Amino acid sequence: MRSKKHPPKIGISACMWEGDPNRKIFNGRPILYLEESMSIYLQRLGALVYMLPPAVNGNVEAMCRDLDGLVLQGGVDVCPQTYGEETLQPEWNGDARRDAYEIALIQAFFAQKKPILGICRGLQIMNVCFGGSLFQDISYFKPNAFVHRDAKIYEKNTHMIDFLIDTELSKIFPSLKQAKINSVHHQAIKDLAPGFVVSARSSVDGIIEAVERQPQAEGEAFCLGVQWHPEFQDVEDDSLLSSTKILDWFMQQIKMTSL
Ligand code: MN
């Protein structure tokens, strides 16, 4: 048992940038990277943050053992083949290598009973890891849906969500039935993974915006996924749902399971 005094240690999945011969720096070699706003967000309440590389020796479990929780950062599309579908458009093919890498991380942290927070793509890959599927492109499947990703305004694109009652997310925000969040995604959950519940939907078109897997056995930890990006929010901007309360909740889950 480690000391209760040590700051929580959060592992975060890496984004992957494949080798590009036209890129001068690093001579076009593959890069692993972390978006800085995410590292700043996760350190806001005192956690230590560690970006996790793919385990080259296959021993993912050992890499996760000294960490207290996992955050899955956003990024590239999930590859449709990862959830058993053919890719309908080449530009929706995503990154199957990153999928396999993050699924291994999710399985290791889940087996070690440590909480997991999925942001945007992180919600999607968590849903796929536990047996769910995705819309490869929201507008392709729901022609009248809101535009959930607008490249011109990026995180300034916002919409309302409705909270579902009796969920953990609704307990984090007990006084709210609705809230405004940012929206930078063109994929979304189609079939929800077994064992998960929907905790928020888009008020405009019903798209799933948050999911959770409540502990189902002794000592299990929570998995929470949000389709929006709390790390992109200005802390001073109180027009959006509080990003700090979500992080505070995650830190509390870590304290309940790991410290
Ligand atoms: Mn959205």
Side-chain angles (χ1 to χ4, degrees):
M1 186 70 83
R2 286 189 299 276
S3 159
K4 284 178 190 288
K5 287 181 180 162
H6 92 72
K9 294 178 181 171
I10 296 177
I12 182 157
S13 64
C15 291
M16 296 172 163
W17 197 3
E18 294 306 318
D20 175 358
N22 296 320
R23 199 177 64 224
K24 296 285 186 287
I25 194 157
F26 291 115
N27 198 27
R29 299 171 62 78
I31 305 291
L32 300 173
Y33 65 100
L34 170 61
E35 193 168 313
E36 189 168 10
S37 60
M38 180 67 97
S39 77
I40 293 168
Y41 171 59
L42 295 179
Q43 291 177 77
R44 194 186 291 164
L45 299 180
L48 302 174
V49 177
Y50 301 84
M51 190 175 81
L52 304 174
V56 290
N57 56 7
N59 198 350
V60 184
E61 291 79 10
M63 192 165 65
C64 304
R65 204 159 289 140
D66 283 336
L67 300 170
D68 303 311
L70 173 67
V71 172
L72 299 155
Q73 66 170 324
V76 68
D77 288 353
V78 175
C79 178
Q81 279 141 53
T82 303
Y83 48 91
E85 290 187 9
E86 290 304 313
T87 305
L88 298 171
Q89 307 261 359
E91 65 269 31
W92 301 340
N93 205 37
D95 184 350
R97 179 170 173 248
R98 182 166 166 194
D99 298 347
Y101 148 73
E102 285 184 319
I103 286 170
L105 285 177
I106 294 166
Q107 289 172 338
F109 276 85
F110 185 72
Q112 292 178 24
K113 300 182 166 43
K114 292 168 181 174
I116 303 174
L117 175 62
I119 309 280
C120 196
R121 171 196 156 86
L123 158 145
Q124 296 168 359
I125 193 66
M126 195 155 59
N127 183 58
V128 167
C129 174
F130 285 95
S133 68
L134 305 178
F135 294 127
Q136 293 184 31
D137 180 87
I138 295 168
S139 65
Y140 186 91
F141 288 91
K142 284 187 158 244
N144 297 320
F146 177 76
V147 176
H148 285 262
R149 182 177 66 183
D150 182 332
K152 283 199 201 86
I153 56 173
Y154 211 66
E155 85 278 7
K156 303 290 181 222
N157 191 37
T158 61
H159 62 74
M160 299 297 288
I161 53 170
D162 297 317
F163 292 104
L164 279 86
I165 56 168
D166 296 333
T167 63
E168 188 70 8
L169 189 70
S170 72
K171 289 178 195 155
I172 302 173
F173 299 101
S175 60
L176 296 179
K177 289 191 169 66
Q178 281 196 320
K180 190 161 83 171
I181 46 85
N182 60 35
S183 188
V184 196
H185 60 111
H186 83 106
Q187 294 191 314
I189 290 177
K190 180 165 63 178
D191 298 312
L192 186 66
F196 275 71
V197 295
V198 175
S199 30
R201 286 182 183 274
S202 160
S203 311
V204 227
D205 53 25
I207 288 287
I208 293 174
E209 290 280 340
V211 299
E212 58 192 65
R213 187 185 191 284
Q214 301 174 1
Q216 287 159 29
E218 183 68 27
E220 253 182 45
F222 259 101
C223 301
L224 175 69
V226 297
Q227 187 60 81
W228 63 94
H229 287 268
E231 78 279 15
F232 288 168
Q233 292 176 215
D234 178 351
V235 191
E236 306 293 316
D237 181 359
D238 56 10
S239 73
L240 296 172
L241 184 68
S242 166
S243 56
T244 306
K245 281 190 176 160
I246 291 172
L247 181 61
D248 187 37
W249 172 86
F250 188 60
M251 301 277 278
Q252 291 302 322
Q253 298 309 307
I254 285 175
K255 286 186 180 132
M256 284 163 58
T257 53
S258 296
L259 302 185

